Amino acid sequence: MTIEPQHKTTVSLVLGSGGARGLAHIGIIQWLEEQGYQIRSISGCSIGALVGGIYAAGKLDEYEAWVRAIGRLDIVHLLDLSWSNSGLIKGDKIINTLTELVGDTDIEQLPISFTAVAANIDDNKEVWLDKGSLFDAIRASISLPLLFTPVLLNGDRLIDGGVLNPVPIAPTFSDQNDLTIAVNLSGEPVKVGSCPIPVSQDRPESMPLHQRISSYISDLTGSVSKRSSFDWEAYDIAHQAFDAMQTTIARQKLAAYPPDLSIDIPRNVCSTLEFHRAAELIELGYQAAAKNIPART
């Protein structure tokens, strides 16, 4: 495929689900912007909805600085345990932290068309959230079964959209853009030992907000007891099963509705909650975009 450099190629970007692997979405967006692609529409599921929604709100730099600054224990402190039968984590603390960091807005006010995909647990249907509070939509879309409690929104009990559609291409069908690019976080596994991806020396890990965000996290978590000894083994097994299911569904969806271009991120590059590996995962996405999308320069 040849892209004319003088043409502002418009993109419908589909961002898949996959936990911390979705930090690769940040690097992919950065590469597209550097190459002069114009992202005019985003459809996202779970972490894809989170990254895509924050980008649509114009706050991806702030989120990137925050996620680069957090460590293992910071993630533990942000998990507000619910101990309910419907999920281990309420998710309010994470959403409140992100809302304070980047602000909330109605999806209709975003400069980029945005749809977050969730699943109605009672009706077994996809739910496309393209109106109302951005972070209400994100919170619903990231409700990974067993981990996060479901969200009651507009009378529906919603969970992670990856249960039904981990690479949600369908919301982009009516777009009038030049390209549809899908990012699948359930790609073929890489050989053990070939990860992590080394971080390029000319792409700085530190950002201007690093110190402010580190201080913010310290203040936020100072009064919370440490829970690093919690046994996650049972949940890790459940998440591996969920990943296996998503891999099968994603393969079927991409075969049925092939995008113009696709990027596969190996499903074994990290586990669900390894957000402390942001630098290498963002770089992985950047490199994957450079490998799979035609350069315009």
Side-chain angles (χ1 to χ4, degrees), residues 256-269:
Y257 308 110
D260 297 304
L261 296 169
S262 63
I263 299 173
D264 288 340
I265 300 299
R267 60 181 177 269
N268 67 334
V269 294

Side-chain angles (χ1 to χ4, degrees), residues 21-163:
R21 296 193 299 276
L23 296 178
H25 293 323
I26 298 174
I28 291 166
I29 290 171
Q30 289 173 342
W31 191 90
L32 287 168
E33 286 198 321
E34 289 178 10
Q35 292 295 315
Y37 287 90
Q38 182 183 5
I39 301 171
R40 288 182 28 182
S41 170
I42 294 177
S43 172
C45 176
S46 197
I47 186 65
L50 192 152
V51 172
I54 291 175
Y55 171 73
K59 299 292 185 177
L60 191 60
D61 287 347
E62 287 84 348
Y63 176 70
E64 181 184 358
W66 178 79
V67 79
R68 282 179 180 267
I70 62 178
R72 291 176 184 267
L73 286 180
D74 297 321
I75 294 297
V76 174
H77 289 314
L78 287 171
L79 303 181
D80 44 352
L81 301 182
S82 70
W83 303 110
S84 73
N85 292 331
S86 60
L88 177 65
I89 298 165
K90 291 184 290 185
D92 295 343
K93 186 178 292 185
I94 292 174
I95 292 298
N96 291 340
T97 299
L98 293 175
T99 301
E100 183 171 340
L101 181 68
V102 306
D104 195 8
T105 187
D106 285 341
I107 294 174
E108 301 95 313
Q109 305 302 316
L110 297 174
I112 295 173
S113 175
F114 174 74
T115 302
V117 176
N120 186 316
I121 191 174
D122 298 308
D123 293 342
N124 194 28
K125 294 180 179 178
E126 284 183 42
V127 177
W128 296 359
L129 302 169
D130 55 8
K131 296 181 177 63
S133 164
L134 173 63
F135 274 102
D136 282 353
I138 290 172
R139 173 63 184 89
S141 187
I142 68 171
S143 298
L144 184 68
L146 290 181
L147 184 60
F148 287 103
T149 55
V151 169
L152 186 64
L153 189 62
N154 302 323
D156 296 327
R157 208 159 49 120
L158 304 179
I159 60 173
D160 193 315
V163 170

Side-chain angles (χ1 to χ4, degrees), residues 184-264:
N184 172 27
L185 301 180
S186 299
E188 289 298 314
V190 292
K191 183 179 179 181
V192 175
S194 61
C195 289
I197 303 298
V199 178
S200 172
Q201 295 302 309
D202 60 358
R203 293 176 57 76
E205 292 187 45
S206 61
M207 299 185 71
L209 291 178
H210 181 95
Q211 293 300 322
R212 179 171 70 83
I213 292 170
S214 294
S215 176
Y216 174 77
I217 291 174
S218 178
D219 292 342
L220 179 70
T221 62
S223 62
V224 181
S225 61
K226 293 183 179 180
R227 294 187 288 266
S228 58
S229 61
F230 185 81
D231 184 5
W232 290 93
E233 184 176 357
Y235 288 90
D236 283 340
I237 293 172
H239 297 158
Q240 288 175 29
F242 186 72
D243 268 349
M245 179 191 73
Q246 285 195 123
T247 298
T248 300
I249 298 173
R251 187 182 301 116
Q252 293 171 345
K253 293 288 186 181
L254 290 169
Y257 308 110
D260 297 304
L261 296 169
S262 63
I263 299 173
D264 288 340

